[in-house]
Short mmCIF file of all heavy atoms in Angstrom, two decimals:
data_model
loop_
_atom_site.label_atom_id
_atom_site.label_comp_id
_atom_site.label_asym_id
_atom_site.label_seq_id
_atom_site.Cartn_x
_atom_site.Cartn_y
_atom_site.Cartn_z
N MET T 1 93.52 115.26 89.17
CA MET T 1 93.96 114.95 87.81
C MET T 1 95.42 114.50 87.83
O MET T 1 96.27 115.16 88.39
CB MET T 1 93.78 116.21 86.94
CG MET T 1 93.99 115.98 85.45
SD MET T 1 92.71 114.93 84.72
CE MET T 1 93.22 114.96 83.01
N ILE T 2 95.66 113.37 87.26
CA ILE T 2 97.03 112.83 87.23
C ILE T 2 97.60 113.02 85.83
O ILE T 2 97.02 112.57 84.85
CB ILE T 2 97.03 111.35 87.60
CG1 ILE T 2 96.52 111.16 89.03
CG2 ILE T 2 98.43 110.75 87.44
CD1 ILE T 2 96.41 109.71 89.45
N ASP T 3 98.74 113.70 85.74
CA ASP T 3 99.35 113.87 84.42
C ASP T 3 100.28 112.71 84.11
O ASP T 3 100.55 111.85 84.96
CB ASP T 3 100.08 115.22 84.33
CG ASP T 3 101.15 115.35 85.39
OD1 ASP T 3 101.86 114.38 85.64
OD2 ASP T 3 101.27 116.46 85.96
N ALA T 4 100.74 112.66 82.90
CA ALA T 4 101.54 111.51 82.44
C ALA T 4 102.81 111.32 83.26
O ALA T 4 103.20 110.20 83.54
CB ALA T 4 101.87 111.68 80.97
N ALA T 5 103.42 112.44 83.65
CA ALA T 5 104.68 112.35 84.39
C ALA T 5 104.48 111.71 85.75
O ALA T 5 105.25 110.82 86.16
CB ALA T 5 105.29 113.74 84.54
N SER T 6 103.44 112.11 86.47
CA SER T 6 103.25 111.52 87.79
C SER T 6 102.76 110.07 87.67
O SER T 6 103.04 109.24 88.52
CB SER T 6 102.31 112.35 88.65
OG SER T 6 101.25 112.86 87.93
N LEU T 7 102.06 109.78 86.60
CA LEU T 7 101.64 108.41 86.35
C LEU T 7 102.87 107.52 86.18
O LEU T 7 102.94 106.42 86.71
CB LEU T 7 100.76 108.35 85.10
CG LEU T 7 99.80 107.18 85.01
CD1 LEU T 7 98.81 107.21 86.17
CD2 LEU T 7 99.04 107.20 83.70
N LYS T 8 103.84 108.03 85.45
CA LYS T 8 105.07 107.29 85.24
C LYS T 8 105.81 107.09 86.55
O LYS T 8 106.36 106.02 86.82
CB LYS T 8 105.98 108.05 84.26
CG LYS T 8 106.21 107.24 83.01
CD LYS T 8 107.19 107.91 82.09
CE LYS T 8 107.01 107.29 80.71
NZ LYS T 8 107.31 108.20 79.63
N ALA T 9 105.81 108.12 87.39
CA ALA T 9 106.48 108.04 88.68
C ALA T 9 105.83 106.97 89.55
O ALA T 9 106.50 106.19 90.21
CB ALA T 9 106.44 109.39 89.38
N ILE T 10 104.51 106.94 89.54
CA ILE T 10 103.78 105.94 90.32
C ILE T 10 104.10 104.53 89.80
O ILE T 10 104.37 103.62 90.57
CB ILE T 10 102.26 106.19 90.24
CG1 ILE T 10 101.91 107.50 90.96
CG2 ILE T 10 101.47 105.03 90.85
CD1 ILE T 10 100.49 107.96 90.72
N GLU T 11 104.08 104.40 88.48
CA GLU T 11 104.39 103.12 87.87
C GLU T 11 105.77 102.63 88.29
O GLU T 11 105.95 101.48 88.64
CB GLU T 11 104.37 103.27 86.35
CG GLU T 11 103.41 102.32 85.67
CD GLU T 11 103.20 102.74 84.23
OE1 GLU T 11 104.20 102.88 83.53
OE2 GLU T 11 102.04 102.93 83.84
N LYS T 12 106.73 103.54 88.24
CA LYS T 12 108.10 103.19 88.58
C LYS T 12 108.19 102.80 90.05
O LYS T 12 108.82 101.81 90.41
CB LYS T 12 109.04 104.36 88.29
CG LYS T 12 110.49 103.98 88.48
CD LYS T 12 111.41 105.14 88.17
CE LYS T 12 112.87 104.75 88.32
NZ LYS T 12 113.15 104.03 89.57
N ALA T 13 107.51 103.55 90.91
CA ALA T 13 107.56 103.26 92.34
C ALA T 13 106.98 101.89 92.64
O ALA T 13 107.53 101.13 93.43
CB ALA T 13 106.81 104.33 93.11
N SER T 14 105.85 101.55 92.00
CA SER T 14 105.26 100.26 92.31
C SER T 14 106.12 99.13 91.72
O SER T 14 106.20 98.06 92.28
CB SER T 14 103.82 100.18 91.82
OG SER T 14 103.75 100.39 90.45
N LYS T 15 106.75 99.40 90.60
CA LYS T 15 107.65 98.40 90.03
C LYS T 15 108.83 98.19 90.96
O LYS T 15 109.23 97.07 91.25
CB LYS T 15 108.14 98.87 88.66
CG LYS T 15 108.26 97.73 87.66
CD LYS T 15 108.71 98.25 86.32
CE LYS T 15 107.64 98.05 85.27
NZ LYS T 15 107.99 98.67 83.99
N ASP T 16 109.39 99.29 91.46
CA ASP T 16 110.52 99.21 92.39
C ASP T 16 110.14 98.40 93.62
O ASP T 16 110.89 97.54 94.06
CB ASP T 16 110.95 100.61 92.82
CG ASP T 16 111.82 101.27 91.77
OD1 ASP T 16 112.13 100.60 90.77
OD2 ASP T 16 112.17 102.44 91.94
N SER T 17 108.97 98.70 94.19
CA SER T 17 108.61 98.00 95.42
C SER T 17 108.28 96.54 95.12
O SER T 17 108.49 95.67 95.95
CB SER T 17 107.45 98.70 96.12
OG SER T 17 106.26 98.54 95.42
N PHE T 18 107.79 96.27 93.93
CA PHE T 18 107.54 94.89 93.53
C PHE T 18 108.85 94.10 93.51
O PHE T 18 108.94 93.01 94.07
CB PHE T 18 106.88 94.85 92.16
CG PHE T 18 106.72 93.46 91.60
CD1 PHE T 18 105.74 92.60 92.08
CD2 PHE T 18 107.54 93.00 90.58
CE1 PHE T 18 105.59 91.32 91.57
CE2 PHE T 18 107.40 91.72 90.05
CZ PHE T 18 106.42 90.88 90.56
N PHE T 19 109.87 94.70 92.92
CA PHE T 19 111.16 94.01 92.85
C PHE T 19 111.80 93.91 94.23
O PHE T 19 112.41 92.91 94.56
CB PHE T 19 112.10 94.70 91.86
CG PHE T 19 111.78 94.37 90.45
CD1 PHE T 19 111.39 95.34 89.55
CD2 PHE T 19 111.85 93.05 90.00
CE1 PHE T 19 111.08 95.03 88.23
CE2 PHE T 19 111.53 92.71 88.68
CZ PHE T 19 111.15 93.71 87.81
N LYS T 20 111.65 94.97 95.03
CA LYS T 20 112.18 94.95 96.38
C LYS T 20 111.53 93.84 97.18
O LYS T 20 112.19 93.11 97.91
CB LYS T 20 111.91 96.30 97.06
CG LYS T 20 113.18 97.10 97.27
CD LYS T 20 112.87 98.41 97.96
CE LYS T 20 113.64 99.54 97.31
NZ LYS T 20 113.08 100.85 97.55
N GLN T 21 110.22 93.72 97.02
CA GLN T 21 109.47 92.70 97.73
C GLN T 21 109.92 91.30 97.31
O GLN T 21 110.12 90.42 98.13
CB GLN T 21 107.99 92.87 97.41
CG GLN T 21 107.10 92.71 98.60
CD GLN T 21 105.66 93.01 98.27
OE1 GLN T 21 105.13 92.54 97.28
NE2 GLN T 21 105.01 93.78 99.10
N ARG T 22 110.08 91.12 96.00
CA ARG T 22 110.51 89.81 95.50
C ARG T 22 111.90 89.46 96.01
O ARG T 22 112.17 88.33 96.39
CB ARG T 22 110.51 89.81 93.97
CG ARG T 22 109.21 89.36 93.42
CD ARG T 22 109.30 88.63 92.11
NE ARG T 22 110.55 88.79 91.40
CZ ARG T 22 110.67 88.58 90.10
NH1 ARG T 22 109.62 88.26 89.40
NH2 ARG T 22 111.82 88.71 89.51
N ASN T 23 112.75 90.46 96.03
CA ASN T 23 114.10 90.28 96.52
C ASN T 23 114.10 89.91 98.00
O ASN T 23 114.81 89.00 98.44
CB ASN T 23 114.86 91.60 96.33
CG ASN T 23 116.30 91.34 95.98
OD1 ASN T 23 116.67 90.23 95.63
ND2 ASN T 23 117.12 92.36 96.10
N LEU T 24 113.26 90.59 98.75
CA LEU T 24 113.13 90.34 100.18
C LEU T 24 112.68 88.91 100.43
O LEU T 24 113.24 88.19 101.25
CB LEU T 24 112.13 91.35 100.74
CG LEU T 24 111.97 91.47 102.25
CD1 LEU T 24 111.60 92.90 102.59
CD2 LEU T 24 110.90 90.54 102.77
N ILE T 25 111.65 88.49 99.70
CA ILE T 25 111.12 87.13 99.83
C ILE T 25 112.22 86.11 99.53
O ILE T 25 112.41 85.15 100.27
CB ILE T 25 109.92 86.92 98.89
CG1 ILE T 25 108.75 87.78 99.35
CG2 ILE T 25 109.50 85.45 98.87
CD1 ILE T 25 107.63 87.86 98.33
N LYS T 26 112.95 86.38 98.45
CA LYS T 26 114.02 85.48 98.04
C LYS T 26 115.05 85.32 99.15
O LYS T 26 115.51 84.22 99.46
CB LYS T 26 114.72 86.07 96.80
CG LYS T 26 114.71 85.14 95.60
CD LYS T 26 115.79 85.60 94.66
CE LYS T 26 115.24 85.93 93.29
NZ LYS T 26 116.16 86.68 92.46
N GLN T 27 115.44 86.45 99.75
CA GLN T 27 116.46 86.41 100.80
C GLN T 27 115.96 85.68 102.03
O GLN T 27 116.70 84.90 102.64
CB GLN T 27 116.87 87.84 101.16
CG GLN T 27 117.69 88.48 100.08
CD GLN T 27 118.27 89.80 100.53
OE1 GLN T 27 117.56 90.64 101.05
NE2 GLN T 27 119.54 89.98 100.34
N VAL T 28 114.72 85.93 102.40
CA VAL T 28 114.16 85.25 103.58
C VAL T 28 114.10 83.74 103.32
O VAL T 28 114.49 82.93 104.17
CB VAL T 28 112.75 85.79 103.91
CG1 VAL T 28 112.10 84.95 105.02
CG2 VAL T 28 112.83 87.25 104.34
N LEU T 29 113.63 83.36 102.12
CA LEU T 29 113.51 81.94 101.80
C LEU T 29 114.88 81.28 101.71
O LEU T 29 115.02 80.08 101.91
CB LEU T 29 112.74 81.74 100.50
CG LEU T 29 111.26 82.12 100.55
CD1 LEU T 29 110.59 81.82 99.23
CD2 LEU T 29 110.53 81.42 101.68
N ALA T 30 115.90 82.07 101.39
CA ALA T 30 117.26 81.52 101.30
C ALA T 30 117.91 81.42 102.68
O ALA T 30 119.04 81.02 102.81
CB ALA T 30 118.11 82.39 100.38
N GLY T 31 117.16 81.83 103.71
CA GLY T 31 117.67 81.72 105.07
C GLY T 31 118.53 82.90 105.49
O GLY T 31 119.19 82.85 106.52
N LYS T 32 118.50 83.97 104.69
CA LYS T 32 119.28 85.15 105.06
C LYS T 32 118.53 85.95 106.12
O LYS T 32 117.31 85.91 106.20
CB LYS T 32 119.51 86.03 103.83
CG LYS T 32 120.37 85.36 102.79
CD LYS T 32 121.34 86.38 102.18
CE LYS T 32 122.37 85.67 101.32
NZ LYS T 32 121.88 85.41 99.97
N LYS T 33 119.30 86.68 106.90
CA LYS T 33 118.68 87.51 107.93
C LYS T 33 118.27 88.84 107.30
O LYS T 33 119.11 89.60 106.82
CB LYS T 33 119.67 87.73 109.07
CG LYS T 33 119.02 88.33 110.28
CD LYS T 33 119.99 88.38 111.45
CE LYS T 33 119.36 89.13 112.61
NZ LYS T 33 120.32 89.33 113.70
N VAL T 34 116.98 89.08 107.29
CA VAL T 34 116.46 90.31 106.71
C VAL T 34 115.68 91.05 107.79
O VAL T 34 114.87 90.45 108.49
CB VAL T 34 115.53 90.01 105.52
CG1 VAL T 34 115.10 91.30 104.84
CG2 VAL T 34 116.21 89.08 104.52
N LEU T 35 115.96 92.34 107.92
CA LEU T 35 115.26 93.12 108.92
C LEU T 35 114.15 93.94 108.29
O LEU T 35 114.29 94.45 107.18
CB LEU T 35 116.23 94.05 109.66
CG LEU T 35 117.33 93.35 110.47
CD1 LEU T 35 118.23 94.39 111.12
CD2 LEU T 35 116.74 92.42 111.50
N CYS T 36 113.06 94.05 109.00
CA CYS T 36 111.94 94.87 108.53
C CYS T 36 112.40 96.32 108.42
O CYS T 36 112.98 96.86 109.36
CB CYS T 36 110.78 94.75 109.51
SG CYS T 36 109.45 95.90 109.18
N PRO T 37 112.17 96.95 107.28
CA PRO T 37 112.61 98.34 107.12
C PRO T 37 111.85 99.29 108.04
O PRO T 37 112.33 100.39 108.31
CB PRO T 37 112.30 98.65 105.64
CG PRO T 37 111.35 97.59 105.20
CD PRO T 37 111.57 96.39 106.07
N THR T 38 110.71 98.88 108.52
CA THR T 38 109.92 99.76 109.38
C THR T 38 110.28 99.62 110.85
O THR T 38 110.53 100.60 111.54
CB THR T 38 108.42 99.48 109.18
OG1 THR T 38 108.12 99.52 107.79
CG2 THR T 38 107.57 100.51 109.91
N CYS T 39 110.33 98.37 111.35
CA CYS T 39 110.53 98.19 112.80
C CYS T 39 111.89 97.57 113.13
O CYS T 39 112.21 97.42 114.30
CB CYS T 39 109.41 97.34 113.38
SG CYS T 39 109.42 95.63 112.80
N ASN T 40 112.66 97.19 112.09
CA ASN T 40 113.98 96.60 112.31
C ASN T 40 113.97 95.27 113.04
O ASN T 40 114.97 94.87 113.62
CB ASN T 40 114.90 97.58 113.05
CG ASN T 40 115.52 98.56 112.09
OD1 ASN T 40 115.89 98.20 110.98
ND2 ASN T 40 115.61 99.80 112.50
N LYS T 41 112.83 94.61 113.06
CA LYS T 41 112.77 93.26 113.61
C LYS T 41 113.01 92.28 112.46
O LYS T 41 112.71 92.59 111.31
CB LYS T 41 111.39 93.00 114.23
CG LYS T 41 111.03 94.00 115.32
CD LYS T 41 111.06 93.31 116.67
CE LYS T 41 110.52 94.21 117.75
NZ LYS T 41 111.55 95.02 118.40
N PRO T 42 113.54 91.09 112.79
CA PRO T 42 113.79 90.12 111.72
C PRO T 42 112.51 89.68 111.02
O PRO T 42 111.46 89.53 111.66
CB PRO T 42 114.46 88.94 112.45
CG PRO T 42 114.43 89.24 113.89
CD PRO T 42 113.99 90.64 114.10
N ILE T 43 112.64 89.50 109.74
CA ILE T 43 111.51 89.02 108.95
C ILE T 43 111.62 87.51 108.83
O ILE T 43 112.69 86.98 108.52
CB ILE T 43 111.49 89.70 107.57
CG1 ILE T 43 111.21 91.19 107.74
CG2 ILE T 43 110.45 89.06 106.66
CD1 ILE T 43 111.30 91.98 106.46
N VAL T 44 110.55 86.80 109.12
CA VAL T 44 110.57 85.35 109.11
C VAL T 44 109.56 84.81 108.11
O VAL T 44 108.65 85.53 107.66
CB VAL T 44 110.25 84.77 110.51
CG1 VAL T 44 111.34 85.14 111.49
CG2 VAL T 44 108.89 85.23 111.00
N PHE T 45 109.74 83.54 107.79
CA PHE T 45 108.84 82.89 106.85
C PHE T 45 107.89 81.97 107.61
O PHE T 45 108.30 81.19 108.46
CB PHE T 45 109.66 82.07 105.84
CG PHE T 45 108.85 81.12 105.01
CD1 PHE T 45 107.90 81.61 104.12
CD2 PHE T 45 109.04 79.75 105.12
CE1 PHE T 45 107.14 80.72 103.36
CE2 PHE T 45 108.29 78.87 104.35
CZ PHE T 45 107.34 79.36 103.47
N SER T 46 106.59 82.08 107.34
CA SER T 46 105.61 81.15 107.88
C SER T 46 105.18 80.21 106.77
O SER T 46 104.69 80.67 105.73
CB SER T 46 104.37 81.89 108.40
OG SER T 46 104.69 82.69 109.49
N ALA T 47 105.37 78.93 106.99
CA ALA T 47 104.96 77.96 105.98
C ALA T 47 103.43 77.94 105.88
O ALA T 47 102.74 78.19 106.86
CB ALA T 47 105.48 76.59 106.36
N PRO T 48 102.93 77.65 104.70
CA PRO T 48 101.47 77.58 104.55
C PRO T 48 100.91 76.38 105.29
O PRO T 48 101.57 75.36 105.43
CB PRO T 48 101.29 77.45 103.04
CG PRO T 48 102.57 76.90 102.53
CD PRO T 48 103.64 77.40 103.46
N ASN T 49 99.71 76.51 105.80
CA ASN T 49 99.00 75.35 106.35
C ASN T 49 97.57 75.39 105.85
O ASN T 49 97.22 76.22 105.01
CB ASN T 49 99.08 75.31 107.88
CG ASN T 49 98.48 76.55 108.52
OD1 ASN T 49 97.46 77.05 108.05
ND2 ASN T 49 99.11 77.05 109.56
N LYS T 50 96.72 74.54 106.40
CA LYS T 50 95.38 74.44 105.81
C LYS T 50 94.55 75.70 106.04
O LYS T 50 93.58 75.93 105.34
CB LYS T 50 94.65 73.19 106.31
CG LYS T 50 94.41 73.16 107.82
CD LYS T 50 93.61 71.91 108.16
CE LYS T 50 93.60 71.58 109.64
NZ LYS T 50 93.14 72.66 110.51
N ASP T 51 94.94 76.48 107.03
CA ASP T 51 94.16 77.67 107.33
C ASP T 51 94.63 78.93 106.62
O ASP T 51 93.87 79.85 106.38
CB ASP T 51 94.16 77.94 108.84
CG ASP T 51 93.44 76.84 109.61
OD1 ASP T 51 92.43 76.36 109.08
OD2 ASP T 51 93.89 76.48 110.71
N LYS T 52 95.94 78.97 106.34
CA LYS T 52 96.40 80.19 105.70
C LYS T 52 97.54 79.92 104.73
O LYS T 52 98.20 78.88 104.80
CB LYS T 52 96.79 81.24 106.74
CG LYS T 52 97.90 80.81 107.68
CD LYS T 52 98.06 81.88 108.76
CE LYS T 52 99.30 81.73 109.57
NZ LYS T 52 100.57 81.88 108.88
N VAL T 53 97.76 80.88 103.87
CA VAL T 53 98.83 80.75 102.89
C VAL T 53 100.16 81.09 103.57
O VAL T 53 100.18 81.67 104.65
CB VAL T 53 98.59 81.70 101.69
CG1 VAL T 53 97.30 81.36 101.00
CG2 VAL T 53 98.61 83.15 102.12
N GLY T 54 101.24 80.72 102.92
CA GLY T 54 102.55 81.07 103.45
C GLY T 54 102.75 82.57 103.37
O GLY T 54 102.14 83.27 102.56
N ALA T 55 103.62 83.07 104.25
CA ALA T 55 103.86 84.50 104.25
C ALA T 55 105.24 84.80 104.82
O ALA T 55 105.79 84.00 105.57
CB ALA T 55 102.80 85.22 105.09
N VAL T 56 105.80 85.91 104.42
CA VAL T 56 106.98 86.42 105.10
C VAL T 56 106.54 87.67 105.85
O VAL T 56 105.86 88.52 105.31
CB VAL T 56 108.16 86.72 104.14
CG1 VAL T 56 108.65 85.46 103.47
CG2 VAL T 56 107.78 87.74 103.11
N HIS T 57 106.90 87.72 107.13
CA HIS T 57 106.40 88.82 107.95
C HIS T 57 107.33 89.10 109.11
O HIS T 57 108.11 88.24 109.50
CB HIS T 57 105.00 88.49 108.48
CG HIS T 57 104.99 87.25 109.33
ND1 HIS T 57 105.19 87.29 110.68
CD2 HIS T 57 104.85 85.94 109.01
CE1 HIS T 57 105.15 86.06 111.17
NE2 HIS T 57 104.95 85.22 110.16
N CYS T 58 107.25 90.30 109.65
CA CYS T 58 108.02 90.64 110.83
C CYS T 58 107.14 90.44 112.05
O CYS T 58 105.94 90.17 111.94
CB CYS T 58 108.50 92.09 110.75
SG CYS T 58 107.19 93.30 110.92
N ALA T 59 107.74 90.58 113.23
CA ALA T 59 107.03 90.31 114.47
C ALA T 59 105.84 91.25 114.66
O ALA T 59 104.81 90.86 115.21
CB ALA T 59 107.98 90.42 115.66
N LEU T 60 105.97 92.47 114.22
CA LEU T 60 104.92 93.46 114.46
C LEU T 60 103.88 93.49 113.34
O LEU T 60 102.81 94.05 113.50
CB LEU T 60 105.52 94.85 114.63
CG LEU T 60 106.47 95.01 115.81
CD1 LEU T 60 106.93 96.44 115.94
CD2 LEU T 60 105.82 94.54 117.11
N GLY T 61 104.23 92.90 112.21
CA GLY T 61 103.25 92.83 111.13
C GLY T 61 103.28 94.01 110.17
O GLY T 61 102.43 94.10 109.29
N CYS T 62 104.23 94.93 110.31
CA CYS T 62 104.27 96.03 109.34
C CYS T 62 104.75 95.51 107.99
O CYS T 62 104.36 96.04 106.95
CB CYS T 62 105.09 97.20 109.83
SG CYS T 62 106.42 96.84 110.96
N THR T 63 105.60 94.47 108.01
CA THR T 63 105.89 93.76 106.77
C THR T 63 105.13 92.45 106.81
O THR T 63 105.29 91.67 107.75
CB THR T 63 107.40 93.48 106.64
OG1 THR T 63 108.09 94.73 106.57
CG2 THR T 63 107.70 92.67 105.38
N ASP T 64 104.25 92.25 105.85
CA ASP T 64 103.44 91.04 105.84
C ASP T 64 103.09 90.73 104.39
O ASP T 64 102.17 91.31 103.85
CB ASP T 64 102.19 91.23 106.70
CG ASP T 64 101.44 89.93 106.90
OD1 ASP T 64 101.93 88.87 106.45
OD2 ASP T 64 100.35 89.96 107.51
N ILE T 65 103.88 89.88 103.79
CA ILE T 65 103.68 89.59 102.37
C ILE T 65 103.20 88.15 102.21
O ILE T 65 103.89 87.22 102.58
CB ILE T 65 105.00 89.77 101.59
CG1 ILE T 65 105.61 91.15 101.86
CG2 ILE T 65 104.77 89.58 100.10
CD1 ILE T 65 107.06 91.26 101.47
N GLU T 66 102.02 88.01 101.69
CA GLU T 66 101.50 86.67 101.47
C GLU T 66 102.14 86.08 100.23
O GLU T 66 102.35 86.75 99.23
CB GLU T 66 99.98 86.72 101.30
CG GLU T 66 99.27 87.02 102.60
CD GLU T 66 97.77 86.82 102.48
OE1 GLU T 66 97.28 86.70 101.34
OE2 GLU T 66 97.11 86.79 103.52
N LEU T 67 102.45 84.79 100.32
CA LEU T 67 103.07 84.12 99.18
C LEU T 67 102.02 83.28 98.47
O LEU T 67 101.45 82.37 99.07
CB LEU T 67 104.21 83.23 99.64
CG LEU T 67 105.33 83.93 100.42
CD1 LEU T 67 106.38 82.91 100.79
CD2 LEU T 67 105.93 85.03 99.61
N ASP T 68 101.80 83.60 97.25
CA ASP T 68 100.85 82.82 96.47
C ASP T 68 101.62 81.69 95.80
O ASP T 68 102.27 81.89 94.78
CB ASP T 68 100.19 83.73 95.44
CG ASP T 68 99.02 83.02 94.77
OD1 ASP T 68 98.76 81.85 95.12
OD2 ASP T 68 98.38 83.65 93.91
N MET T 69 101.59 80.52 96.42
CA MET T 69 102.39 79.42 95.90
C MET T 69 101.54 78.32 95.30
O MET T 69 101.92 77.17 95.28
CB MET T 69 103.29 78.87 97.01
CG MET T 69 104.29 79.91 97.49
SD MET T 69 105.59 79.25 98.53
CE MET T 69 104.71 78.89 100.03
N SER T 70 100.36 78.69 94.86
CA SER T 70 99.47 77.68 94.30
C SER T 70 99.94 77.28 92.92
O SER T 70 100.58 78.05 92.22
CB SER T 70 98.04 78.20 94.24
OG SER T 70 98.01 79.44 93.57
ZN1 ZN X 101 108.06 95.43 110.98
#
């Protein structure tokens, strides 16, 4: 059973991570050096091609955010 308070906490956490993610994408696309918070490897941008969508990801894949640029 989830009470209102924990629901609010979850909402806030997902909002925070949403903004963090957007910020991260922005920095990577701006050419800034961003390190994966999990493995500390640089996060890079993969341009979309016919097989897959664009994504920002680290070498190990713990950060892997697909960019919906349609
Ligand atoms: Zn990583």
Side-chain angles (χ1 to χ4, degrees):
M1 189 68 177
I2 298 176
D3 58 41
S6 39
L7 204 61
K8 242 185 199 150
I10 293 170
E11 237 167 53
K12 186 179 182 313
S14 59
K15 217 178 245 174
D16 280 356
S17 71
F18 174 76
F19 281 118
K20 250 181 223 159
Q21 222 175 47
R22 269 212 344 202
N23 215 15
L24 190 149
I25 293 168
K26 238 199 237 165
Q27 288 189 311
V28 172
L29 293 183
K32 295 220 170 84
K33 192 173 174 186
V34 186
L35 296 179
C36 171
T38 309
C39 67
N40 277 321
K41 303 250 188 269
I43 294 175
V44 295
F45 167 65
S46 294
N49 59 39
K50 62 177 166 54
D51 294 323
K52 60 187 192 64
V53 299
V56 296
H57 61 90
C58 70
L60 299 184
C62 28
T63 297
D64 189 4
I65 307 163
E66 288 190 347
L67 302 180
D68 190 0
M69 296 192 289
S70 53

